[in-house]
Amino acid sequence: VKAMACLPLDLLREVDADGNTELIRSGQLFHLLSESPNANMTPADFIKVITTDYLLYGNAYIRIDYARGADYVAALTPLNPKQIEVINEGPRVVYRHFSQDDEIARYPAERILHWKGIGNGLAGFSMIDFARATVDEAAKAQSASADLFRNKGKLNGILCSDNPILKDTQIRQFLDMFTEMKKADIGVPLLPQGFRFQSMGLSPVETQLLQTREFIVQEFARWFGIPYGLLTGEAQDLVELSNYFYETVILPMCIELEQVLQHKLIREAGVRVKFRTSVLKRMSDQTRIAMQTSYVQNGLRTRNELRREDGYSRIDGADELTAQNNLYPVDKLGASDPTQTPQTPLTEQPVKQ
């Protein structure tokens, strides 16, 4: 969730037929996506809310609020997925919103940004419903662990006796005495002759409590596509796991949300929204500088493009693609280059200045 929220969401405009783009840094749509989606949220808050809804409930619903008496979008407001019902009315899709005041609002598809996960095409399937058994197992394991620590690890059981059946008063007196000994926390209670304690529960080792809790963590990681090694930090190659997580989870979510925003919000031809996913691929300073140097020296990116990603301002003369020209064909090594300044042969005396 935080990984998605930290990504800048750029608004780009194509400037030529080759697909070159420029950043749009003004306008109402730029304000909504980069500064304030609504009066109560920052862009990071907005992305965190809808990403959480998407992951847990399989659906994120965003209401498009237009300015009164105008035809531009004034706000983007997330709606609670538990209060939304999607209805297919023939060729039209309608969203019913049940408010906390028992009021029902109907919104046409044009008023709702619907980011849906795997489902039937109309709505996504809830991850909570699919993982209900895992969630229930986790809750019971946590409850068992809490009970164990609350009782200081003491097991429940029964008292057995080889003596003849006692009278009711003797039984009550004995039980009261045994209960007081347990409450007093005096260690191992001393039982009268002929009595023994028979455990009726399983120890934490027998129930594999620790292994169960570890398995539950792994199960939740599998539900959300998180490599387990990233959670434990015990993997041999964390960089490779991080790249795998980025390529299989983060990047597909970014592309899906870009398409949803593009479909409902963008009306101008040649304009598109795109997450700046290069932020997630940040490396160490040494590795990043080496890669940026390779980009510049091989004419792949300009210096100003790299400066913008690192948060530096633009400088004059750094918008041109540059490349090294000291590479020479092997079959022409040793031949003179008329474009180069003539050099004094080693057999001649240098000219005195």
Side-chain angles (χ1 to χ4, degrees):
V1 174
K2 290 185 178 180
M4 287 281 295
C6 77
L7 295 179
L9 185 56
D10 292 333
L11 195 60
L12 305 173
R13 178 187 288 111
E14 294 185 2
V15 295
D16 54 34
D18 294 332
N20 295 316
T21 60
E22 64 178 3
L23 281 173
I24 300 176
R25 299 182 178 275
S26 60
Q28 179 62 16
L29 197 54
F30 170 80
H31 171 73
L32 289 174
L33 298 179
S34 302
E35 296 178 350
S36 179
N38 55 66
N40 301 317
M41 291 183 177
T42 64
D45 295 333
F46 176 77
I47 296 296
K48 281 189 288 188
V49 169
I50 63 175
T51 304
T52 301
D53 291 342
Y54 172 86
L55 291 174
L56 294 182
Y57 300 101
N59 298 277
Y61 301 98
I62 307 158
R63 188 181 63 212
I64 303 175
D65 297 326
Y66 291 91
R68 187 182 301 273
D71 192 29
Y72 67 88
V73 180
L76 299 174
T77 305
L79 301 177
N80 190 340
K82 295 184 293 185
Q83 297 175 297
I84 297 292
E85 181 183 10
V86 185
I87 302 175
N88 189 2
E89 297 182 349
R92 299 174 61 248
V93 175
V94 176
Y95 296 85
R96 299 177 64 188
H97 179 219
F98 300 86
S99 67
Q100 296 180 351
D101 300 328
D102 295 332
E103 297 181 357
I104 301 177
R106 290 170 57 91
Y107 298 107
E110 295 76 16
R111 288 287 311 279
I112 298 294
L113 285 170
H114 186 184
W115 181 19
K116 46 183 172 287
I118 298 175
N120 56 10
L122 188 64
F125 298 141
S126 172
M127 183 64 68
I128 292 180
D129 291 339
F130 274 98
R132 190 177 299 278
T134 303
V135 174
D136 183 61
E137 182 182 8
K140 291 178 179 178
Q142 180 63 31
S143 177
S145 177
D147 291 340
L148 179 65
F149 284 102
R150 186 184 301 113
N151 296 328
K152 300 180 181 181
K154 297 176 181 177
L155 298 176
N156 294 321
I158 60 175
L159 292 173
C160 302
S161 173
D162 296 329
N163 297 329
I165 299 177
L166 303 177
K167 297 181 180 180
D168 292 342
T169 54
Q170 293 176 316
I171 294 176
R172 284 194 298 269
Q173 290 176 355
F174 182 76
L175 291 177
D176 292 341
M177 178 187 67
F178 187 73
T179 302
E180 290 298 326
M181 286 191 295
K182 291 182 61 178
K183 290 181 179 179
D185 195 18
I186 59 175
V188 180
L190 182 61
L191 298 178
Q193 182 178 6
F195 284 87
R196 64 182 183 277
F197 178 79
Q198 178 65 44
S199 174
M200 294 294 292
L202 298 176
S203 66
V205 175
E206 293 171 328
T207 58
Q208 294 186 324
L209 181 60
L210 294 179
Q211 293 87 337
T212 299
R213 300 188 74 177
E214 182 179 0
F215 172 77
I216 290 172
V217 174
Q218 296 179 19
E219 193 74 358
F220 276 113
R222 278 191 287 267
W223 278 114
F224 294 102
I226 304 173
Y228 184 64
L230 286 181
L231 300 180
T232 62
E234 298 175 354
Q236 295 181 354
D237 194 344
L238 288 177
V239 174
E240 184 177 348
L241 280 180
S242 298
N243 290 336
Y244 172 80
F245 179 63
Y246 162 77
E247 293 172 358
T248 59
V249 179
I250 301 297
L251 185 59
M253 290 173 59
C254 290
I255 295 175
E256 289 178 11
L257 185 53
E258 288 171 359
Q259 293 177 353
V260 172
L261 296 173
Q262 184 79 27
H263 179 62
K264 289 292 181 70
L265 294 182
I266 306 301
R267 301 178 181 178
E268 181 181 348
V271 175
R272 55 191 174 91
V273 293
K274 186 174 181 61
F275 280 102
R276 200 184 311 164
T277 54
S278 59
V279 174
L280 286 179
K281 305 289 284 186
R282 286 293 183 112
M283 299 159 258
S284 65
D285 290 341
Q286 182 178 1
T287 305
R288 190 173 76 255
I289 290 174
M291 181 171 290
Q292 290 177 342
T293 302
S294 177
Y295 283 156
V296 172
Q297 292 179 349
N298 292 282
L300 299 176
R301 305 187 69 176
T302 67
R303 289 171 172 82
N304 272 338
E305 289 175 341
L306 299 176
R307 288 177 63 86
R308 184 177 65 228
E309 286 189 358
D310 287 343
Y312 296 109
S313 60
R314 177 186 176 278
I315 59 175
D316 294 333
D319 289 318
E320 296 291 334
L321 290 173
T322 59
Q324 295 188 86
N325 64 348
N326 58 350
L327 299 178
Y328 212 67
V330 175
D331 58 348
K332 295 183 179 181
L333 291 176
S336 61
D337 187 351
T339 64
Q340 302 295 324
T341 303
Q343 302 293 321
T344 302
L346 295 177
T347 58
E348 298 180 8
Q349 294 294 327
V351 178
K352 296 182 178 181
Q353 302 292 332

